[in-house]
Amino acid sequence: MTSIPVARRSPGTQCLSSTSRLTMRLLAAVLLVALAQGCASVPKRNPVPDQRSEDAVIPGIQRARSWGDEKPAYADTWMAKSKEELQAEYPHLFGKPHNYLAISGGGANGAFGAGLLKGWAEAGTRPEFDMVTGISTGALTAPFAFLGPEYDDVIEHIYTSYSTKDLVKKRMPITAVTSDALGNTKKLADLIAKFMDDDLMRALADEHRKGRNLVIGTTNLDVERPVNWNIARIAASGEPFAYDLVRQIILASASIPVAFPPVAIEVEVDGRQYDELHVDGGTASQVILYPAGIPWNEVLKKLEVPGTPNVFVIRNSRLDPKAVAVNRKLFPIASRTIDSLIRTQGIGDLYRIFALTKRDGLEFHLAYIPKEFDEMPTEVFDPVYMRKLFDLGYEMARSGYEWQKTPPDF
């Protein structure tokens, strides 16, 4: 593997990552909101009635989504389908070897996964993926990874050309305290719309018709549950609102609570319209594959998949603990604690996916940011830092990266 650049810091330096600084601002905002007495300047809501969240649907689109923490309601019906029905629904998947890709959250660290994908393609060993999943920053990468290497230049541009001010507009302190977030994500929404245009949506729909799956994870904030969205199926639905819904889902998956506004998604219950608030999928999981309630080995038998399917997991983060001297003050302590929770949650998600692959007879492969990479960003989305991470992932993959076969310390 090629050598990895290392940035040196003096032992006495006390510094916080961009994630830590962002977390400190989030904590400050939460405290200010708790103290504020004014009326919040936020859009009015029409939330789903209590106890009816299970009945909420996207009108006109069957199987658009499912809960990420339980077996989908349609699973038993699917398992009862005949061979002929499955061959018609999954012409590209039936009777063929399978490869799956799961891309994690990680904010600006998503540049690592973007570089890894491009280098992997140039090495000539990157397969076509039968299923791709994305969470948070992984939701921004997943559609392009799903469509193939011809979109690698797009994700390189996205992860190396924009800074914080290009993606988020900060709100004035008073406005932030009385609203739903510290920043306005219209710029990010516009960027998503620019790159996920109608032509790309039609390409996603075409791949869905082959039977391939593209799943994006969000968190339903109203009920504190993960939601898995099949956005290629949504794009192929023919509904007039489908393309905008896909863009909303991707924005929601990348919307860090408090920092970015939640996304209101319209649903129906018994023919009446309501809304749900969806936020960063990383609030529930850092990376997803499929719910544990699905017996994937049975799915493979039904689809007559030969050999052992491969699961590739890109964790856009370091997995090792990083030593940083913490100031003995409220915000640095709270920030460091949250960072630790996110890191360990991500490791737990890797173990969960690894356990599923062992149970269901799949081959596990893992890539993550190596501990030798010790660069520090100067802002939340630092294009110089992201370029270095992109180049790191690119060189690792292009030179023949040896994927890890187990989670760390297994």
Side-chain angles (χ1 to χ4, degrees), residues 338-359:
I338 292 173
D339 282 352
S340 178
L341 287 171
I342 292 173
R343 184 182 69 83
T344 53
Q345 178 200 30
I347 293 173
D349 290 334
L350 295 179
Y351 273 86
R352 172 177 48 80
I353 290 175
F354 179 71
L356 288 179
T357 63
K358 296 301 108 179
R359 183 195 72 179

Side-chain angles (χ1 to χ4, degrees), residues 1-135:
M1 188 172 67
T2 56
S3 60
I4 299 168
V6 177
R8 303 291 183 184
R9 290 181 288 119
S10 61
T13 301
Q14 295 185 7
C15 58
L16 293 172
S17 67
S18 62
T19 303
S20 298
R21 290 194 294 271
L22 175 60
T23 306
M24 289 173 64
R25 296 189 186 107
L26 303 187
L27 291 166
V30 170
L31 290 176
L32 286 172
V33 170
L35 295 172
Q37 299 298 317
C39 295
S41 55
V42 295
K44 291 184 178 180
R45 289 201 59 198
N46 183 26
V48 175
D50 292 346
Q51 313 304 321
R52 296 303 307 274
S53 61
E54 296 282 352
D55 304 316
V57 298
I58 303 299
I61 309 179
Q62 293 185 346
R63 291 165 52 187
R65 63 182 190 169
S66 60
W67 296 114
D69 55 4
E70 68 179 26
K71 183 172 72 173
Y74 55 78
D76 292 338
T77 301
W78 189 96
M79 293 298 292
K81 289 186 176 183
S82 68
K83 176 179 179 178
E84 291 71 26
E85 288 175 315
L86 293 175
Q87 283 179 313
E89 187 173 354
Y90 302 96
H92 190 76
L93 276 66
F94 195 93
K96 299 177 181 178
H98 283 196
N99 293 285
Y100 312 131
L101 175 67
I103 310 174
S104 84
N109 287 341
F112 169 75
L116 191 83
L117 285 165
K118 184 171 185 177
W120 192 3
E122 292 192 11
T125 55
R126 175 173 151 190
E128 181 180 72
F129 303 109
D130 303 285
M131 178 172 66
V132 177
T133 70
I135 284 279

Side-chain angles (χ1 to χ4, degrees), residues 379-398:
E379 57 179 299
V380 177
F381 297 101
D382 177 356
V384 174
Y385 170 81
M386 290 189 289
R387 165 53 73 180
K388 291 178 180 179
L389 257 184
F390 182 94
D391 291 345
L392 170 67
Y394 173 82
E395 290 298 336
M396 285 171 57
R398 192 172 68 90

Side-chain angles (χ1 to χ4, degrees), residues 143-220:
F144 306 107
F146 180 72
L147 292 176
E150 58 267 35
Y151 288 88
D152 286 352
D153 289 343
V154 175
I155 56 175
E156 179 177 5
H157 177 77
I158 291 172
Y159 278 99
T160 60
S161 305
Y162 299 99
S163 62
T164 310
K165 64 180 177 60
D166 299 317
L167 302 175
V168 183
K169 181 180 180 181
K170 294 182 180 179
R171 289 170 170 164
M172 296 295 289
I174 294 299
T175 303
V177 167
T178 59
S179 67
D180 55 3
L182 292 174
N184 181 311
T185 51
K186 184 181 184 303
K187 291 182 178 180
L188 178 58
D190 290 344
L191 187 69
I192 291 170
K194 173 184 176 181
F195 290 106
M196 295 204 64
D197 58 15
D198 288 1
D199 288 340
L200 185 136
M201 293 291 181
R202 285 188 283 269
L204 294 180
D206 289 343
E207 295 307 310
H208 167 74
R209 295 184 187 101
K210 297 177 183 178
R212 299 174 66 211
N213 290 299
L214 174 57
V215 178
I216 299 300
T218 67
T219 302
N220 182 330

